[in-house]
Amino acid sequence: MNAHDSERLSGMLGSLGYTPVDDRDLADLILFNTCSIREKADSKLIAHLGDAKRLKREDPTKVVGVGGCWAQSLKNELFESFPWVDVAFGPGQIHRLAEFLKSDSITAQGFFDFEALSSELPAARERPYQAWLQISQGCNCVCSYCIVPSTRGREVSRDPHSIIGEAEALTADGVREVTLLGQNVNSYGRDLPASRRIGFSEILRRLDALPGLDRLRYTSPHPKDMRADVLQAHIDLPSLCEHIHLPLQAGSSRILKSMRRTYDRERYLDRVEAIRESVPDCSITTDIIVGFPGESERDFEETLEVVDRVGFDAAFAFPFSPRRGTHAATLPRQISREVKSERMGRLVELVNERAAARAERFLGRDLEDLVEGPSRTDPTRLRGRTRHNRAVNFDGLAAPGELTEVAITDTTSHSLDGVEKLLVRAG
Ligand code: SAH
Ligand code: SF4
């Protein structure tokens, strides 16, 4: 979501006539779009803000801006701690940056209300053929570790016509893969007025019907709302990819309860079962938090058991990071850094082992691949992504943005290796 907010900030600045420069020293405007989900992002930002202070001292006409969740979590306190910041705004107030830049205000200004959706802004996309499409903003869950509800507000679903309209404009502009974005995408629509209310699976159906949209993805669904209609959409809709990112967070029901996730281990495993029954080849990926307060060795082993049983295609593991204003930050029995890091090591090892085993099912198959550009490890080869969201390095001739077929010749826990089918035939 933060990356997509950055695309919208770039799009908006572009329309105001700003262009990016490679060197921060040359910039008229230095803008940080911040994330606050974990501590690591915060500490990186402090160093960057120090650098901006130096540049502002050398050239006071430079404008320094801070947007995003970190700004929202501090609000006006931010100006007390970092007085060289000229403008600060929360993730719901991106459009206010344009107003600030067009005004000749010389006093610092902060914009932190939650108001209308700012998803209507044009985005400068990283790749012309792939796009994020935000369908909702904010979150109504109360996960005890999470700062999002306080930085992005209550859930607001975007009007279905506006979503379809944006998708039509994107496909007309050459986009073939769209990823729907929301904190909890599958609760989409519940807050819409009855006359306009449609659910998440209906949005999927309407988007699948658009000509030119080859691939449809979404992130993140919540396990509590992973229902039969969404699985049926996976069976019915040709564009909907065989990949579901289903955040687990913990494999111990006791810890899940303390996290206020509203599902337990059995319900999660039951959802995985349902996905496997409907779409047997579906990739399932997840997020896991390690070292939540009170997590015993036994609780952690229960997480390992779930990872082993499910066999995720990939998993992001995060050490628990206490966030200001969250309930979990105040809980007793915080876990030491050493224990977190030791558990992270064991978890990542098991995740990789299971992911490598899962990837073997692709060996010898021909998989549709969306070409993204040259391979990062060997620029004479190409890199793309399968419908299962696996990166593929391959020998081939296709251009970025093309869909091609790749014969898979090797697999690892993170990527696949192959040869474009055209070359297989020619050779
Ligand atoms: N709405 C999404 C989560 C967005 S945050 C969902 O519920 O899945 C992305 C991930 O960051 C979360 O899934 C969680 O694993 C991780 N995360 C959030 N807060 C965290 C914290 N305080 N410490 C460590 N990881 C956290
Ligand atoms: Fe945070 Fe939970 Fe909402 Fe995800 S569902 S954004 S983890 S509160």
Side-chain angles (χ1 to χ4, degrees):
M1 192 70 86
N2 176 264
H4 182 47
D5 287 346
S6 292
E7 288 186 341
R8 285 192 300 219
L9 282 166
S10 310
M12 192 179 74
L13 289 173
S15 67
L16 291 178
Y18 285 79
T19 52
V21 285
D22 293 330
D23 186 350
R24 194 178 281 169
D25 290 32
L26 302 175
D28 300 313
L29 166 68
I30 303 173
L31 182 62
F32 300 100
N33 184 29
T34 61
C35 171
S36 207
I37 198 84
R38 288 173 294 274
E39 204 175 353
K40 209 168 161 189
D42 283 14
S43 11
K44 278 195 206 159
L45 174 69
I46 305 292
H48 284 294
L49 277 177
D51 193 41
K53 178 186 184 183
R54 175 184 62 80
L55 292 168
K56 176 100 181 170
R57 204 185 305 121
E58 286 165 14
D59 175 4
T61 66
K62 277 189 195 307
V63 176
V64 178
V66 184
C69 289
W70 183 80
Q72 181 72 36
S73 74
L74 289 180
K75 298 195 182 155
N76 288 318
E77 252 177 60
L78 189 151
F79 297 113
E80 285 159 32
S81 312
F82 308 95
W84 58 95
V85 171
D86 298 295
V87 56
F89 53 96
Q93 295 275 299
I94 287 179
H95 54 289
R96 291 297 193 93
L97 174 67
E99 282 169 33
F100 178 84
L101 292 173
K102 283 189 281 187
S103 75
D104 41 18
S105 170
I106 46 162
T107 47
Q109 283 191 39
F111 305 99
F112 305 108
D113 292 341
F114 296 124
E115 47 171 78
L117 283 160
S118 52
S119 44
E120 317 282 338
L121 294 168
R125 294 191 300 278
E126 187 188 340
R127 299 198 182 96
Y129 45 86
Q130 285 171 327
W132 302 109
L133 176 47
Q134 187 176 354
I135 63 167
S136 61
Q137 165 174 298
C139 184
N140 286 356
C141 294
V142 286
C143 303
S144 60
Y145 51 82
C146 184
I147 200 168
V148 169
S150 74
T151 57
R152 290 186 183 264
R154 304 272 304 162
E155 186 171 299
V156 183
S157 298
R158 193 168 161 195
D159 183 90
H161 293 111
S162 148
I163 296 174
I164 307 295
E166 184 174 342
E168 281 169 345
L170 289 170
T171 50
D173 197 32
V175 168
R176 44 197 335 179
E177 179 177 287
V178 163
T179 304
L180 307 182
L181 268 186
Q183 295 303 335
N184 181 356
V185 282
N186 48 356
S187 73
Y188 171 83
R190 289 185 198 151
D191 57 312
L192 289 172
S195 59
R196 284 185 289 134
R197 189 176 307 145
I198 64 169
F200 180 57
S201 60
E202 184 55 30
I203 278 286
L204 293 174
R205 283 178 193 280
R206 294 194 190 176
L207 291 172
D208 176 75
L210 294 182
L213 187 66
D214 296 308
R215 287 181 170 191
L216 185 55
R217 304 183 183 278
Y218 56 85
T219 195
S220 292
H222 195 295
K224 75 177 166 66
D225 298 315
M226 200 67 208
R227 305 236 164 85
D229 59 330
V230 176
L231 295 177
Q232 192 59 43
H234 274 274
I235 297 171
D236 297 342
L237 309 179
S239 69
L240 193 54
C241 291
E242 294 79 12
H243 170 219
I244 297 179
H245 183 74
L246 195 66
L248 166 68
Q249 313 302 1
S252 145
S253 294
R254 200 179 68 83
I255 295 294
L256 284 169
K257 190 158 188 208
S258 179
M259 288 177 163
R260 301 190 188 137
R261 284 293 286 179
T262 69
Y263 54 85
D264 61 9
R265 167 196 179 91
E266 277 62 46
R267 163 83 186 163
Y268 186 89
L269 288 170
D270 168 73
R271 292 301 80 203
V272 169
E273 204 58 34
I275 294 170
R276 294 255 152 91
E277 258 167 41
S278 313
V279 195
D281 192 34
C282 196
S283 278
I284 304 182
T285 59
T286 201
D287 291 345
I288 297 169
I289 297 178
V290 173
F292 186 80
E295 183 189 73
S296 65
E297 174 61 22
R298 181 64 207 128
D299 291 318
F300 175 65
E301 280 165 12
E302 288 192 36
T303 298
L304 292 179
E305 280 163 25
V306 173
V307 169
D308 195 38
R309 240 168 99 175
V310 174
F312 291 105
D313 290 81
F316 297 109
F318 307 108
F320 169 72
S321 171
R323 304 285 63 211
R324 77 182 72 79
T326 62
H327 180 64
T330 66
L331 285 174
R333 296 184 56 212
Q334 297 282 329
I335 306 297
S336 71
R337 193 178 287 267
E338 292 71 35
V339 171
K340 279 185 203 163
S341 123
E342 189 264 340
R343 287 181 186 165
M344 281 288 289
R346 280 153 72 198
L347 176 63
V348 169
E349 194 178 322
L350 181 64
V351 161
N352 288 344
E353 188 186 308
R354 299 297 283 117
R358 282 286 291 164
E360 284 172 14
R361 75 187 191 280
F362 298 127
L363 196 62
R365 282 169 60 178
D366 298 336
L367 296 181
E368 182 200 277
D369 202 36
L370 178 60
V371 185
E372 292 181 348
S375 156
R376 285 181 199 156
T377 45
D378 176 356
T380 65
R381 307 184 76 210
L382 292 172
R383 177 192 161 92
R385 208 158 270 279
T386 67
R387 288 173 59 94
H388 304 85
N389 208 31
R390 283 258 164 183
V392 192
N393 294 301
F394 65 100
D395 298 310
L397 299 172
E402 268 178 12
L403 282 175
T404 186
E405 238 190 333
V406 173
I408 303 302
T409 53
D410 199 7
T411 67
T412 70
S413 57
H414 286 89
S415 65
L416 306 175
D417 216 90
V419 184
E420 194 178 356
K421 283 293 277 183
L422 217 63
L423 290 190
V424 176
R425 263 179 248 127

